[in-house]
Amino acid sequence: MRLLFVTLPIILTLLSCNTNKNDKALTETTTKPLEELPLQKPQIPISKALVLGMFNFRTDSTFTKVDPQYTSKTIYLNKEVDSAFVAMRKAAEQDGIYLKVISGTRNFSAQKAIWERKWKKYANLAPKERALKILEYSSMPGSSRHHWGTDLDLNNLTNSYFSSGEGLAIYQWLTTHANDFGFYQVYTTKDQGRTGYNLEKWHWSYLPLAQPYLEYYNAHITVSDIKGFEGADQAQAVDIINSYVNGISKKSKDATLTNS
């Protein structure tokens, strides 16, 4: 019993010292400026289902609806992409530029509907030429970046709109500032040897997520995974993965992103 009375004050003293140290550490951490605190990027839930568009983005917790004030219809994006777009949109507004999302995430079935409508439209062409005609501007289901929730179409779907007036002002602002928010134009002109889709001035990709998604796609998807729609048998003939999925601008391929 005597030993207990002797050791108890020692234990209480040690506990008090530890508590003071922990309180001091907590105070030092919480009083640091936000920019000095370590930022940990959450793990990206990449899967074959995601990169092929075989999932329900409307119920997936990593996706969200785009604010109606920024679009004229119901559109979903990955939550991180949506936040980056809102920040970019607000910055653009300060310069008198108004960005509007006209297309975002599309799953396999949505892309299939677009593809098969055009497949019927060009029924007079031979199968390979038929596929190549559609691939000027539309992806085969299972090969579209729009499956990922990382890519969005802005304001208008014609290149001519961005060549003059309001459209030109929007495009000039995007080419100057969009990279600062993680967005890159992936389908530029082909004067540097880019393959695949034609020029799309409206299509912007959020590379902090799209880069690892593309890396995963290349490591896990083969042409045998491109199936389940009319004309799917032409995927190998048109070299869908090498020429189209990887047919992005050199700037996008070479981009080094600090938050990726």
Side-chain angles (χ1 to χ4, degrees):
M1 180 66 74
R2 183 178 179 183
L3 179 62
L4 177 61
F5 283 116
V6 172
T7 57
L8 185 58
I10 297 174
I11 294 172
L12 292 174
T13 301
L14 290 173
L15 288 174
S16 176
C17 290
N18 286 336
T19 301
N20 290 337
K21 288 179 181 178
N22 290 337
D23 289 344
K24 182 179 180 182
L26 180 61
T27 301
E28 288 177 350
T29 300
T30 54
T31 55
K32 280 186 178 182
L34 180 60
E35 62 270 16
E36 293 182 11
L37 295 176
L39 300 178
Q40 294 184 347
K41 188 178 180 64
Q43 290 186 341
I44 303 170
I46 312 178
S47 66
K48 287 188 71 170
L50 186 148
V51 297
L52 291 172
M54 300 287 195
F55 70 104
N56 189 346
F57 57 80
R58 293 176 180 83
T59 59
D60 190 295
S61 62
T62 60
F63 283 74
T64 188
K65 283 184 183 180
V66 176
D67 191 317
Q69 66 178 311
Y70 301 142
T71 183
S72 59
K73 60 182 180 180
T74 301
I75 291 176
Y76 283 76
L77 291 172
N78 176 284
K79 286 181 178 179
E80 182 177 334
V81 180
D82 181 69
S83 295
F85 167 73
V86 171
M88 182 170 71
R89 157 87 189 206
K90 290 179 178 179
E93 285 179 0
Q94 294 179 0
D95 293 331
I97 300 295
Y98 297 92
L99 304 176
K100 179 180 179 182
V101 182
I102 58 176
S103 187
T105 310
R106 292 196 295 267
N107 62 11
F108 182 92
S109 61
Q111 196 65 35
K112 178 180 177 180
I114 294 171
W115 176 271
E116 292 190 341
R117 183 177 68 248
K118 293 187 176 184
W119 186 258
K120 291 180 176 63
K121 179 180 179 180
Y122 299 117
N124 61 309
L125 300 176
K128 182 178 179 180
E129 283 66 38
R130 202 172 177 181
L132 289 172
K133 181 64 177 178
I134 301 171
L135 286 166
E136 289 180 1
Y137 293 105
S138 296
S139 303
M140 281 186 169
S143 70
S144 175
R145 296 174 72 96
H146 280 288
H147 293 331
W148 309 345
T150 59
D151 289 45
L152 41 80
D153 296 333
L154 296 174
N155 291 74
N156 196 286
L157 295 176
T158 60
N159 289 312
S160 59
Y161 169 80
F162 296 99
S163 298
S164 62
E166 178 185 54
L168 177 59
I170 291 171
Y171 186 66
Q172 289 176 334
W173 191 93
L174 286 168
T175 55
T176 302
H177 301 288
N179 293 175
D180 296 335
F181 299 90
F183 291 95
Y184 284 68
Q185 183 186 353
V186 286
Y187 304 135
T188 53
T189 60
K190 297 181 180 180
D191 55 7
Q192 291 187 326
R194 186 181 69 81
T195 61
Y197 308 104
N198 287 349
L199 169 68
E200 293 186 355
K201 293 183 176 182
W202 57 85
H203 187 130
W204 294 81
S205 181
Y206 183 69
L207 290 194
L209 289 186
Q211 273 187 343
Y213 285 177
L214 180 59
E215 290 173 6
Y216 181 95
Y217 194 103
N218 285 322
H220 295 86
I221 305 301
T222 68
V223 71
S224 64
D225 293 303
I226 309 300
K227 58 187 178 181
F229 57 93
E230 294 183 67
D233 58 342
Q234 296 303 308
Q236 185 169 351
V238 300
D239 197 22
I240 190 65
I241 295 178
N242 291 326
S243 294
Y244 290 87
V245 176
N246 288 290
I248 61 175
S249 67
K250 185 177 185 302
K251 186 176 183 180
S252 298
K253 289 181 178 179
D254 295 344
T256 301
L257 305 170
T258 58
N259 56 338
S260 62

